[in-house]
Amino acid sequence: MLSIRTRRGRRAVAGLMAMAMVAAACGSDDGGGASDGTDAPAASDAAAETTAAASGEAVEIDWWHIQNNDPGKADWQAMADAYTAEHPNVKINITVMENEAFKAAIQTNIQSGDIPDLFQSWGGGGLRDQVAAGVVRDISSEAAPFIGDLGEGAVKLYQVDGKQYGVPFNAGMVGFWYNKDLFAQAGIDAPPATWDELIADIGTLKDAGITPIAVGAGDKWPAHFWYSYLMVRLGGADAMNQIAADNNFSVPNVIEAGEKIADLVALEPFQEGFLGAGWDAPDGESGTMASGGAAMDLMGQWAPGAFKNQAGLTPEQDLPFELGWFPFPSVDGGSGQPSDAFGGADGFAVGKDAPPEAVDFLRFITNPDNQRTWAKNSGLPVNKAAKDAVTDPNMVAVLDGLNNASFMQLYLDQYFTAEVGGTVNDQTALLFAGATTPEDAAAAITAVAGG
């Protein structure tokens, strides 16, 4: 059993806190280094001090996160220490949990009404449920001074009905990782920009004796990236938001996405055994790419690390081929914007009784310097000013895609309930196997969603 800190004692102290919060500004652009080899957290801008923090009145913040390994765990601790050093009246109580343990514990605490001030959130359906339950609070006004510094698409994942309930600190975007050597071998000099060009390149690769695409359809979720991205390209933000509002997938962009999946599967573009293949296995999606067994892979920003692992390489070593990245192609006649992204984010939701200092702390950990530390050690930053910390050309391309996206669709198996998300994955697997029709797949998902 996890021992979760009770909050009765803290609330007695917190009753004295001041409630004003001054507009928050980004920290200095100068980086720093700590003696232990990690970057020192950036100091808050003096103009961003809250009235409560400056007054010396005692405040406590309960913060739950899931970075249970270094460097992320150490970075979060260092940032909390730096913030409380500047605000000695503020105490941050950190609870660190493994991902699945966190999911169980947060549900228990929500049911008991004991809500942490800040806790891990991926936005989407989980956040919508928390808003409906009244366990998180609207921070739109408090976050307004700094929220515009962060990528718009990722920020919107933490909005419900236009109100901000959390803040992202990390984001990722699904796109195509491709083997440039195999493209050159087939005579393809540039990645495809449209769906029709992608289909043509598949034919060219096959003619050259090259397997075009690796996919781990046995795990289902890697295949759902194809189905979902096509929905986004065909329908755009309006259609995807309407699906969520109506819980109805029997709509044109979903059915047409299923038709395009059927067209794709008919071309036989995947590696042998793809229907039973997993994502991260020697004979799966990542292993096939690592061995040069396929030219393309639709996956998130974590893919290169998985390829290197499958190849027996360290993160610092290079793959035996040149790797490139390109965004999911546009679809002729689709209503989606070419810049619309499909992916996910990590962030923190703000509990219903959280003090204003909790929101100021979110400003602090997402300021440019602290985001540079995050980018160096753990992932892609959401603060656009921290882009200079990302140096790998492919990751720069992913980050540009994120920063240019005004709409980001969260993974459908996170955006909707677990039951609906699981059905999306199940129906995707059936589409890839040619075992259902686009219309029946959409109807099956709608039946579970209740639309």
Side-chain angles (χ1 to χ4, degrees), residues 118-377:
L118 299 174
F119 58 91
Q120 170 74 30
S121 174
W122 297 272
L127 182 62
R128 289 199 306 275
D129 290 346
Q130 290 160 1
V131 171
V135 301
V136 291
R137 70 179 181 83
D138 177 6
I139 61 168
S140 301
S141 296
E142 293 164 280
F146 69 92
I147 203 74
D149 298 333
L150 313 182
E152 183 178 2
V155 163
K156 286 182 177 178
L157 294 179
Y158 294 85
Q159 294 177 357
V160 176
D161 296 329
K163 296 178 180 178
Q164 200 77 37
Y165 292 92
V167 174
F169 63 83
N170 176 73
M173 176 180 176
V174 173
F176 279 95
W177 299 94
Y178 74 108
N179 185 321
K180 290 186 174 182
D181 296 352
L182 292 181
F183 265 51
Q185 183 180 324
I188 302 172
D189 58 8
T194 68
W195 181 258
D196 290 342
E197 289 176 4
L198 176 65
I199 297 302
D201 286 346
I202 288 171
T204 301
L205 288 162
K206 290 192 68 174
D207 288 345
I210 298 168
T211 299
I213 301 167
V215 67
D219 278 347
K220 299 181 182 179
W221 60 265
H224 118 278
F225 289 172
W226 288 86
Y227 192 23
S228 302
Y229 234 135
L230 282 165
M231 294 181 200
V232 172
R233 286 289 182 265
L234 289 162
D238 289 345
M240 298 307 296
N241 290 333
Q242 196 64 50
I243 289 169
D246 299 339
N247 289 316
N248 179 21
F249 287 77
S250 293
V251 293
N253 67 306
V254 176
I255 293 171
E256 189 175 349
E259 292 170 348
K260 289 193 178 297
I261 292 294
D263 293 342
L264 177 69
V265 171
L267 298 175
E268 299 183 348
F270 307 116
Q271 84 276 17
E272 186 176 351
F274 72 94
L275 288 175
W279 150 242
D280 200 16
D283 60 350
E285 186 171 339
S286 62
T288 300
M289 285 296 295
S291 66
M296 288 182 283
D297 177 42
L298 181 63
M299 190 49 60
Q301 74 282 353
W302 57 84
F307 300 159
K308 289 183 179 183
N309 182 62
Q310 289 295 334
L313 303 173
T314 66
E316 294 75 26
Q317 292 177 302
D318 293 328
L319 288 163
F321 56 86
E322 187 176 0
L323 189 67
W325 184 90
F326 63 91
F328 196 93
S330 63
V331 179
D332 289 345
S335 298
Q337 298 298 314
S339 60
D340 288 346
F342 176 76
D346 292 288
F348 295 112
V350 180
K352 64 183 179 68
D353 297 322
E357 288 80 5
V359 182
D360 188 56
F361 181 62
L362 293 182
R363 174 202 58 78
F364 178 71
I365 66 173
T366 57
N367 73 23
D369 281 350
N370 285 328
Q371 281 274 279
R372 289 186 181 102
T373 295
W374 181 260
K376 176 182 176 182
N377 293 336

Side-chain angles (χ1 to χ4, degrees), residues 66-139:
I66 60 172
Q67 295 296 318
N68 60 336
N69 294 305
D70 290 334
K73 181 180 179 180
D75 285 343
W76 281 149
Q77 183 65 60
M79 291 180 200
D81 291 345
Y83 186 84
T84 56
E86 290 184 11
H87 308 90
N89 60 303
V90 177
K91 181 181 179 182
I92 300 179
N93 304 311
I94 301 177
T95 300
V96 184
M97 287 180 243
E98 181 274 332
N99 184 48
E100 295 306 316
F102 162 78
K103 290 178 180 178
I106 195 65
Q107 289 304 316
T108 299
N109 277 54
I110 285 174
Q111 290 167 8
S112 69
D114 187 13
I115 317 300
D117 297 311
L118 299 174
F119 58 91
Q120 170 74 30
S121 174
W122 297 272
L127 182 62
R128 289 199 306 275
D129 290 346
Q130 290 160 1
V131 171
V135 301
V136 291
R137 70 179 181 83
D138 177 6
I139 61 168

